[in-house]
Amino acid sequence: MTDEQSARMVRVLRGLPPAARELLSETDWDSLQHAYGPAEDIPASLCSLVAEDPAARSEALAALDMAVLHQGSLHTVTAPVALFVAAILDHPMGLAEHEGYFPWDGGPPRTLRAALLTWLGRVAESAAYGEDPARDRTDWQWEPWHDATRRERDPDELAALHACWDIRPTLYHAVEPFLSSPDPQVREAALGAAVPLLSASGLTDLVPRAAVVLRARLGAAEARRERAGLARALSVWGMDTSDLLADSDPAVRVCAALGPVRVHRPRALAVLLDALRDPRTTDGWFPEPLPGLDGWFRFTVLRSALALAESFEEVAAVAVAIVAAGGTSITDHERGPILFRAFPGGYDRTRPLTSVQRDLLRVFVDTDESTAGIAGNGVWFRAVGLPEGRDGIAALL
């Protein structure tokens, strides 16, 4: 640590909350690892998060992304850093706007507090990945070979993962007050962190209290983006969103149907399928993806519909239309998942194809872009146990 960094730490330490000071002084940082090696440099970065120099804050935020949570990977240093970040969320410097560190950091300026909450949400998402395979399969990026290629984690990876699981209650209690922040960016970032935190099975007892907060916000919110995000959170947590399935805003209706709906499953599925009939409009609802989502919004809607359907027959008409529309760039996010849902147990050569399975395969063969893409869809056809070439598929029909 340089003399300048040491002096900065001394100045900053005086203004830190006791919990943050304790973490800095009592954590054996040298024994922990981040993406680039020993974490001995992390205390200086943490102090820089609340430095008066905006460039120093930006560089410290970059360290969180590049080293502590590099490409979503958890390290042994991630949990103590997340606890420190949670402890400084209400620091006065949290109101300061920060500069982007990377060239691609565009968009409107945001406060340090919003940036820190966003980062905590990413930690929570990374910790949740793989925890519930059934839930993972509703993610728009999931592919069938993800389950087959899961490998055993090494001891450090397991230690990092379990440490992040253990701190989720603490993180949520730090995040919860900002669900009602007067700053809409802070509210959205707090919600983006709360959703994966409370999706953990061990934190379900905290969901009803959080739902009360979100329902109060729904009553006050007017913007589509916020109301839709609140509806999605309630739905993902398994709360009753039946009233929101009849909302006047179609984006809110769809977000209210994205979770594991059971009592109102037919209504929720109908809402999702209706949105998939007009995908351009659906994609246009959120030019900037909602927290926790990425890619075109229709990908998330499709995965939710496929998961909610009790049989492929329920979604066949819309699914076949999507495949018929072609588009070779969306194999893994549309055509592949549809094919996988049509053959949930894999293709059984001893059983005849159903009529909807035939209709789907015929579209793959008859539609020019899809036909040319059968080879591109090969991994999906292979996962289902079907022939990978056009002639092989045509022979089944």
Side-chain angles (χ1 to χ4, degrees):
M1 185 182 301
T2 66
D3 291 342
E4 181 182 352
Q5 288 172 329
S6 297
R8 181 189 300 160
M9 283 188 66
V10 171
R11 292 195 301 271
V12 169
L13 281 170
R14 298 193 187 102
L16 288 177
R21 287 200 303 270
E22 184 177 332
L23 278 162
L24 277 178
S25 62
E26 297 188 4
T27 301
D28 184 4
W29 298 101
D30 292 357
S31 70
L32 303 175
Q33 296 281 319
H34 55 54
Y36 302 106
E40 58 193 18
D41 56 333
I42 291 300
S45 292
L46 297 182
C47 287
S48 294
L49 285 172
V50 291
E52 293 183 0
D53 180 3
R57 294 198 302 273
S58 294
E59 186 174 352
L61 284 168
L64 296 186
D65 284 333
M66 291 190 299
V68 180
L69 193 67
H70 180 66
Q71 296 182 348
S73 297
L74 303 175
H75 304 277
T76 52
V77 77
T78 307
V81 169
L83 288 174
F84 180 90
V85 168
I88 63 169
L89 284 175
D90 59 356
H91 191 282
M93 193 59 70
L95 298 174
E97 292 184 349
H98 74 85
E99 300 174 0
Y101 183 82
F102 301 107
W104 54 85
D105 283 343
R110 59 179 177 167
T111 62
L112 174 68
R113 182 169 295 145
L116 294 177
L117 284 163
T118 297
W119 185 81
L120 287 176
R122 292 175 184 151
V123 171
E125 290 168 5
S126 293
Y129 183 77
E131 187 177 17
D132 183 347
R135 185 177 66 210
D136 287 347
R137 285 192 286 273
T138 65
D139 186 280
W140 72 276
Q141 298 181 92
W142 178 85
E143 296 164 342
W145 45 94
H146 285 181
D147 289 344
T149 57
R150 288 189 192 277
R151 60 180 176 82
E152 284 193 26
R153 300 176 189 261
D154 66 37
D156 282 348
E157 287 179 308
L158 279 175
L161 176 63
H162 292 160
C164 288
W165 285 355
D166 291 342
I167 66 171
R168 286 187 291 201
T170 301
L171 297 186
Y172 176 71
H173 288 303
V175 165
E176 186 184 60
F178 300 102
L179 293 171
S180 303
S181 169
D183 183 338
Q185 288 184 324
V186 169
R187 289 198 304 271
E188 178 171 290
L191 185 62
V195 169
L197 286 171
L198 295 194
S199 295
S201 58
L203 275 69
T204 54
D205 59 322
L206 297 176
V207 169
R209 187 176 76 179
V212 170
V213 177
L214 266 57
R215 282 288 182 177
R217 281 301 317 157
L218 265 170
E222 296 181 358
R224 159 179 280 178
R225 183 178 179 86
E226 180 169 16
R227 297 187 69 246
L230 293 167
R232 173 179 172 263
L234 292 169
S235 182
V236 167
W237 291 338
M239 304 301 290
D240 183 359
T241 56
S242 55
D243 59 322
L244 298 174
L245 294 175
D247 195 88
S248 60
D249 189 327
V252 175
R253 295 198 298 269
V254 168
C255 285
L258 292 178
V261 182
R262 289 296 174 265
V263 177
H264 304 282
R265 189 194 68 82
R267 286 178 57 201
L269 182 58
V271 166
L272 296 175
L273 293 177
D274 189 53
L276 291 170
R277 292 186 181 96
D278 187 6
R280 289 184 179 275
T281 297
T282 299
D283 283 338
W285 290 337
F286 309 113
E288 177 69 21
L290 294 174
L293 301 180
D294 208 345
W296 293 110
F297 186 54
R298 70 178 185 275
F299 298 158
T300 294
V301 178
L302 175 62
R303 288 298 181 97
S304 296
L306 296 177
L308 198 56
E310 292 182 346
S311 68
F312 184 66
E313 282 73 9
E314 286 189 305
V315 297
V318 169
V320 168
I322 290 173
V323 174
T328 56
S329 64
I330 50 178
T331 294
D332 289 333
H333 308 318
E334 290 187 312
R335 294 199 306 276
I338 287 170
L339 182 71
F340 203 70
R341 184 63 183 86
F343 295 86
Y347 171 56
D348 185 349
R349 298 175 183 276
T350 66
R351 302 178 62 182
L353 296 172
T354 67
S355 61
V356 292
Q357 288 172 336
R358 287 182 180 278
D359 290 343
L360 178 64
L361 294 181
R362 189 171 291 111
V363 169
F364 272 100
V365 171
D366 292 345
T367 305
D368 288 342
E369 288 188 0
S370 293
T371 300
I374 282 184
N377 288 285
V379 285
W380 288 92
F381 278 85
R382 190 182 314 130
V384 172
L386 284 162
E388 298 175 35
R390 181 182 184 279
D391 292 342
I393 298 297
L396 298 179
L397 303 176

